[in-house]
Amino acid sequence: MSRFGYTSLGFGSGSSAPFTNVSSVSFDGVDDYCYNDDVTSAFSVGTGAFSVSLWVYPRSTPGVEIAFTTFHGPATPNYWDDYSGIYIQWVQYGIWRAGTSSKTGGVGPFTYIDTAASYSKDNWFNLVFTRDGAQGLTLYVNGSSAVAAAEASPTDVTADDNGLGVGSGWYFDDPPPPAPGGPGGNFNSVPCNCLIDEVALFTSELTAGQVDTLYNNPDGPTNLDAFAVAPALWWRMGDGTEQESGTTIYDMSANSHNATLYNGPTYSSTVPS
């Protein structure tokens, strides 16, 4: 059924309005980002299964740009020595990268996987990053498995108080020391010049069929109110309670982990279709 035919059941919104997707958020690639400093209560997966889904429209030839991260280390000593999280990056030659990391005192596992194919900017991509219960990682691009590998060792991606951000983040290979710059310290150290839409977290591994459903809905992003798996977090990036107004991105799941737009991201009418 077309997404415009669904009626929202409202995990977090209490809304019965028809589902539409007319907005995304535009990040300037300079200092814009969107952040919630603690989503742990909704996403305490430890070394267990998870899935991340989002739509990204990159607008620049990448060096390294972070579209999504749950990195969050302590305020001190520095993020390189103590951090845990999940990340999705747009890197050199149009490659998508996804990975997991957990370090304490500079010691701990981290694993990343890169797509073999390269992709062109100025297109929408549905990215779904999953981990199964046996530490198997898979990155799907536009509904198809693009790369899969096992973690080097079991990785607790929620070992710290985990924040969640999109549009920027800390570079996993060379995170900066803590510095002023708003919540998350220097969270906006690796900004992404992109549009982002429909960000969701799940506390289970989505099946290949469910990933296909997320991408191949004929009218664009899938209504997660009517999806087989309830999201632990769902930022609609303009189409939630915020309705393209203000700096709060509301969590439309049952968990109310709202985010804040920092440094001036704008709403855009360019959306996946």
Side-chain angles (χ1 to χ4, degrees):
M1 181 182 292
S2 162
R3 66 192 173 97
F4 293 104
Y6 286 128
T7 297
S8 172
L9 301 177
F11 284 123
S13 65
S15 170
S16 59
F19 180 85
T20 60
N21 186 67
V22 297
S23 178
S24 63
V25 173
S26 175
F27 298 89
D28 64 7
V30 178
D31 62 359
D32 289 354
Y33 65 104
C34 176
Y35 191 68
N36 177 302
D37 67 1
D38 188 1
V39 299
T40 307
S41 63
F43 197 63
S44 296
V45 297
T47 60
F50 68 78
S51 300
V52 174
S53 174
L54 72 162
W55 292 78
V56 185
Y57 186 103
R59 295 182 294 201
S60 63
T61 302
V64 173
E65 298 185 4
I66 296 180
F68 171 98
T69 181
T70 64
F71 276 159
H72 192 175
T76 59
N78 69 56
Y79 297 115
W80 176 242
D81 286 336
D82 295 90
Y83 63 85
S84 62
I86 304 162
Y87 51 88
I88 298 175
Q89 302 171 342
W90 171 242
V91 298
Q92 290 91 339
Y93 313 115
I95 291 169
W96 287 107
R97 170 177 293 167
T100 60
S101 182
S102 183
K103 287 195 172 188
T104 300
V107 177
F110 70 93
T111 305
Y112 67 86
I113 53 178
D114 288 351
T115 58
S118 59
Y119 302 88
S120 299
K121 66 184 180 73
D122 300 321
N123 290 286
W124 278 108
F125 297 95
N126 177 228
L127 305 172
V128 180
F129 181 37
T130 70
R131 182 172 70 184
D132 62 24
Q135 281 69 58
L137 305 176
T138 304
L139 177 61
Y140 297 83
V141 180
N142 293 343
S144 298
S145 174
V147 59
E151 286 181 324
S153 61
T155 303
D156 184 349
V157 297
T158 53
D160 297 313
D161 246 0
N162 270 270
L164 169 63
V166 296
S168 189
W170 298 292
Y171 182 30
F172 82 100
D173 235 358
D174 188 23
N186 223 20
F187 181 83
N188 61 345
S189 63
V190 192
C192 189
N193 179 11
C194 62
L195 304 172
I196 294 180
D197 202 7
E198 300 294 331
V199 178
L201 295 179
F202 302 87
T203 56
S204 61
E205 180 197 17
L206 297 182
T207 67
Q210 290 164 343
V211 173
D212 180 75
T213 297
L214 288 175
Y215 175 65
N216 281 314
N217 187 50
D219 296 305
T222 294
N223 178 7
L224 297 185
D225 278 350
F227 193 54
V229 182
L233 178 145
W234 183 20
W235 294 345
R236 301 221 46 222
M237 308 305 284
D239 290 299
T241 302
E242 65 273 10
Q243 289 296 294
E244 300 180 87
S245 178
T247 59
T248 299
I249 298 295
Y250 288 87
D251 180 6
M252 304 307 290
S253 78
N255 293 308
S256 302
H257 286 294
N258 302 333
T260 301
L261 298 172
Y262 291 97
N263 300 329
T266 57
Y267 295 105
S268 170
S269 60
T270 302
V271 295
S273 61

